[in-house]
Amino acid sequence: MSDSTSMTSSIIRSLGRAKGLDTAAKTVSGWVDAVTHPTWIKNALSGSWLGHQLHPVLTDLPIGAWGAAVALDLTGGEQSADAARRLVGLGLIASAPAALSGASDWSSTRGADKRIGFVHALMNASASTLQAGSWLARRSGHRRAGIALSALGLGLTLSSAYLGGHLSFVRGIGVNRTAFQRQTSSWTDVAADSEILDGTLTRVVVDGVPVLLTRQAGRLHAISAVCTHAGGPLDEGTLDADGCVTCPWHGSRFRLEDGGIERGPASVSEPIWAVSVDDGRILVRSPAAA
């Protein structure tokens, strides 16, 4: 490991241990939870309709606009001043939905991840403030000051993006927790039919993969017992009358029928399993093998 990588890792670990951030982070997280409480808002910001998290998609827009503005400043000369200013403004507009979607995802994190995410958000807010100052300076005819503010803002944005990458690729925030589960092609005996009572949630293991068995209105269902969002144990959640199971950790709701998402923060559907009853025994296997 290089000295620079070691130093960066040390800084990030220090941020993760900075419990002094907890009070402010908890307060802001509460505000975010209040705003995103309606299901349609949570689903829209989480990317439940998209099939993966929305935030990474939206972050490309402000970064691209601000990066292009700096490129024009460096290579385009005075004739590119208007275009660069418009790009700074477009980046500011695009940063708002990116920030909202990121805040929605962040509010469901805990511990070190929440602290690092809070610093990530503060850095992005500071970068947006610098870009707003740049736009105003350019509009007022102070192009050199605007260029300097844009460059500083872009540098801060890229540094913040490093923290975002750490949360995604090192800490696994936003990664589908069922992506690497093994598929089982053969029917596997997991329980006696009489053991699965109506309205109960039962965890079984099929070839090392946790599976949730439940019966509702007499019908058997089998889906992954690991929440795709953050790995929460669905068998410790609640079975709802509308045919959904709710994760006990962050409140994601999945349909038993097809594993589809009724409410985020999950953005990936829950894997379902084929289930049958033979001679009083419950058998399951991966649906791809059915």
Side-chain angles (χ1 to χ4, degrees), residues 15-34 102-122:
L15 292 177
R17 293 193 295 263
K19 294 185 178 181
L21 297 171
D22 289 350
T23 299
K26 182 178 180 180
T27 299
V28 176
S29 184
W31 296 341
V32 174
D33 288 339
S104 176
D105 296 340
W106 167 77
S107 67
S108 296
T109 60
R110 295 179 291 183
D113 296 334
K114 200 172 200 74
R115 297 172 194 131
I116 295 170
F118 188 55
V119 174
H120 170 72
L122 290 176

Side-chain angles (χ1 to χ4, degrees), residues 24-85:
K26 182 178 180 180
T27 299
V28 176
S29 184
W31 296 341
V32 174
D33 288 339
V35 170
T36 60
H37 179 72
T39 295
W40 71 271
I41 294 179
K42 192 65 175 180
N43 286 353
L45 294 177
S46 297
S48 301
W49 53 275
L50 185 63
H52 60 73
Q53 285 189 314
L54 178 63
H55 181 60
V57 177
L58 297 182
T59 58
D60 288 349
L61 301 177
I63 292 175
W66 291 335
V70 170
L72 285 179
D73 289 334
L74 295 175
T75 64
E78 193 68 37
Q79 62 268 31
S80 66
D82 286 343
R85 177 175 56 82

Side-chain angles (χ1 to χ4, degrees), residues 30-260:
W31 296 341
V32 174
D33 288 339
V35 170
T36 60
H37 179 72
T39 295
W40 71 271
I41 294 179
K42 192 65 175 180
N43 286 353
L45 294 177
S46 297
S48 301
W49 53 275
L50 185 63
H52 60 73
Q53 285 189 314
L54 178 63
H55 181 60
V57 177
L58 297 182
T59 58
D60 288 349
L61 301 177
I63 292 175
W66 291 335
V70 170
L72 285 179
D73 289 334
L74 295 175
T75 64
E78 193 68 37
Q79 62 268 31
S80 66
D82 286 343
R85 177 175 56 82
R86 293 191 189 100
L87 283 168
V88 172
L90 287 173
L92 283 168
I93 294 171
S95 68
L100 288 173
S101 60
S104 176
D105 296 340
W106 167 77
S107 67
S108 296
T109 60
R110 295 179 291 183
D113 296 334
K114 200 172 200 74
R115 297 172 194 131
I116 295 170
F118 188 55
V119 174
H120 170 72
L122 290 176
M123 293 175 69
N124 282 334
S126 299
S128 294
T129 300
L130 289 171
Q131 297 291 354
S134 172
W135 188 87
L136 290 172
R138 292 167 189 267
R139 185 176 175 82
S140 302
H142 304 292
R143 182 168 178 259
R144 288 187 177 180
I147 291 174
L149 289 170
S150 280
L152 287 172
L154 180 61
L156 193 56
T157 296
L158 295 178
S159 298
S160 175
Y162 186 92
L163 289 182
H166 173 84
L167 290 171
S168 295
F169 302 119
V170 178
R171 299 293 299 172
I173 302 299
V175 174
N176 175 13
R177 298 307 174 96
T178 66
F180 303 106
Q181 289 183 345
R182 299 173 60 180
Q183 292 192 338
T184 302
S185 59
S186 58
W187 289 105
T188 302
D189 186 327
V190 293
D193 186 34
S194 59
E195 293 176 349
I196 308 303
L197 304 178
D198 209 273
T200 61
L201 300 174
T202 302
R203 183 186 186 99
V204 297
V205 177
V206 182
D207 199 15
V209 179
V211 175
L212 168 66
L213 281 181
T214 186
R215 191 190 304 271
Q216 191 169 53
R219 184 176 178 183
L220 272 172
H221 300 276
I223 67 173
S224 173
V226 176
C227 179
T228 57
H229 170 244
L234 293 184
D235 52 293
E236 297 178 16
T238 57
L239 181 61
D240 305 322
D242 60 354
C244 293
V245 61
T246 299
C247 179
W249 284 8
H250 303 117
S252 294
R253 298 182 70 239
F254 302 94
R255 295 188 297 271
L256 295 172
E257 184 70 27
D258 59 5

